[in-house]
């Protein structure tokens, strides 16, 4: 795997919104700087994602200096949202885990509710060092995460996507393929590996930063949402269920936890420091 390198980097400032692809990103203990520090919640405090609202695929969030965001979506004028003062928090339900977050200004709630046609609120994670621990079953003491699904970073490989697309294009839903990588909403995309090589990574370096590979990423219905149209299909879950099922989970990509600080860049070499014999960690 000597030629493996970072093909692209992806930061999503607001969970479930479109993000952007910088040439480099600072790695913080809880994820890439600015990644998923904001999220939408419903009237009961539950996180709202493309699972419930696929139209979020068409809304974009641009990270601004200082951590604020500029929101844009079809049919609405863009809105700039500043980081709110941490004068008070409210509970957020992130897949069953309670997390405290700071509500944005009322204009942000109104903008997001108008776009979705639903009562939602925009909230910000003010202190990712303390607010939300990584799943203790797969975490080391003190590891935390932003509003990402469960882990600080998600890494995928172009070779595995090509192998998956080959399976899709051989199947009864071939008209849905090939799928682009944005279906999987990764933080880091690696080129130059063999297909499914990442199954056996245990510890890797990306440029100057060392990561622990916590576990394989179980995929959900969000992967069936076309990120350009918000239309929902059946792939890749149908093909993953036939060829990439481990227990009850459909696997694509690996979840990472940073072990050292630093900056990663497009073109950085990716090196395997330790390997695992199985896909489960």
């Amino acid at each position: 795997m000597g030629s493996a390198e970072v093909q692209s980097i992806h930061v999503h400032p607001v969970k479930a919104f479109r993000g952007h692809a910088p040439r480099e990103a600072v790695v913080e203990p809880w994820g890439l700087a600015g990644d998923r520090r904001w999220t939408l919640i419903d009237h009961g405090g539950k996180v709202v994602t493309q699972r419930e609202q696929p139209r979020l695929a068409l809304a974009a969030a641009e990270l601004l200096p200082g951590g604020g965001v500029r929101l844009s979506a079809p049919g609405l004028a863009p809105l700039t949202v500043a980081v709110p003062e941490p004068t008070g928090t409210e509970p957020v339900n992130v897949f069953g885990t309670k997390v405290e977050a700071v509500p944005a200004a009322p204009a942000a709630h109104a903008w997001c509710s108008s776009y979705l046609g639903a009562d939602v609120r925009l909230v910000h994670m003010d202190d990712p060092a303390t607010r939300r621990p990584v799943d203790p079953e797969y975490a080391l003491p003190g590891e935390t995460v932003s509003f990402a699904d469960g882990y600080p970073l998600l890494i995928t490989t172009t070779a595995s996507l090509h192998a998956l697309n080959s399976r899709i294009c051989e199947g009864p839903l071939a008209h849905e393929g090939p799928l682009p990588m944005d279906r999987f909403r990764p933080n880091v995309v690696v080129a130059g590996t063999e297909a499914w090589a990442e199954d056996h990574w245990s510890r890797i370096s990306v440029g100057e930063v060392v990561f622990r590979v916590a576990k394989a990423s179980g995929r959900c219905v969000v992967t069936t949402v076309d990120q350009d149209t918000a239309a929902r299909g059946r792939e890749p879950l149908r093909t993953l269920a036939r060829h990439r099922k481990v227990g009850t989970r459909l696997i694509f990509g690996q979840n990472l936890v940073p072990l050292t600080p630093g900056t990663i860049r497009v073109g950085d070499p990716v090196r395997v420091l330790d390997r695992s014999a199985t896909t489960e960690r």
Side-chain angles (χ1 to χ4, degrees):
M1 188 184 132
S3 62
E5 65 177 35
V6 175
Q7 183 185 74
S8 60
I9 298 168
H10 303 271
V11 176
H12 300 86
V14 180
K15 184 178 180 66
F17 281 51
R18 285 179 182 269
H20 57 103
R23 298 291 298 176
E24 63 180 48
V26 174
V27 179
E28 298 175 332
W30 40 84
L32 298 183
D35 187 63
R36 296 171 170 96
R37 290 284 296 276
W38 300 80
T39 191
L40 293 179
I41 59 174
D42 65 16
H43 63 277
K46 184 179 178 181
V47 163
V48 176
T49 73
Q50 291 182 32
R51 294 166 177 82
E52 304 83 22
Q53 292 282 359
R55 287 189 71 225
L56 287 173
L58 308 182
E62 176 189 355
L63 187 65
L64 302 176
V69 287
R70 183 176 184 269
L71 307 180
S72 58
L76 292 178
L79 178 71
T80 296
V81 183
V83 173
E85 293 293 330
T87 54
T89 63
E90 60 182 87
V92 175
N93 180 350
V94 188
F95 309 129
T97 300
K98 180 181 175 182
V99 181
E100 294 294 321
V102 182
H109 309 326
W111 190 95
C112 295
S113 296
S114 174
Y115 175 62
L116 293 180
D119 181 16
V120 295
R121 293 165 57 78
L122 183 66
V123 298
H124 179 258
M125 184 179 288
D126 59 325
D127 186 9
T130 63
R131 291 295 185 198
R132 185 182 174 212
V134 173
D135 182 348
E137 184 177 354
Y138 297 96
L140 298 178
E143 291 180 342
T144 61
V145 62
S146 66
F147 285 124
D149 274 7
Y151 297 86
L153 284 89
L154 173 67
I155 193 168
T156 59
T157 68
T158 58
S160 295
L161 179 63
H162 179 73
L164 176 63
N165 276 327
S166 294
R167 294 282 193 181
I168 291 172
C169 292
E170 293 169 356
L173 299 178
H175 61 280
E176 290 194 20
L179 304 180
M181 190 66 86
D182 63 8
R183 290 291 189 96
F184 301 94
R185 298 178 64 82
N187 294 113
V188 179
V189 179
V190 177
T193 72
E194 295 182 357
W196 316 121
E198 65 274 21
D199 286 352
H200 304 291
W201 298 348
S202 179
R203 192 167 59 96
I204 65 172
S205 64
V206 179
E208 63 187 29
V209 184
V210 178
F211 297 90
R212 180 174 70 84
V213 182
K215 66 184 289 290
S217 180
R219 309 316 306 221
C220 70
V221 70
V222 171
T223 60
T224 68
V225 178
D226 187 321
Q227 298 296 296
D228 292 326
T229 67
R232 184 171 281 167
R234 293 178 59 191
E235 292 290 9
L237 293 185
R238 185 188 182 281
T239 298
L240 289 175
R242 292 172 62 88
H243 301 286
R244 296 285 298 168
K245 188 172 184 178
V246 178
T248 60
R249 296 184 299 136
L250 310 183
I251 301 302
F252 189 89
Q254 297 288 334
N255 293 299
L256 303 182
V257 180
L259 296 178
T260 63
T263 298
I264 60 173
R265 300 173 176 86
V266 172
D268 273 352
V270 177
R271 299 184 175 92
V272 179
L273 306 179
D274 290 302
R275 297 181 183 274
S276 172
T278 69
T279 59
E280 294 296 285
R281 277 173 289 279

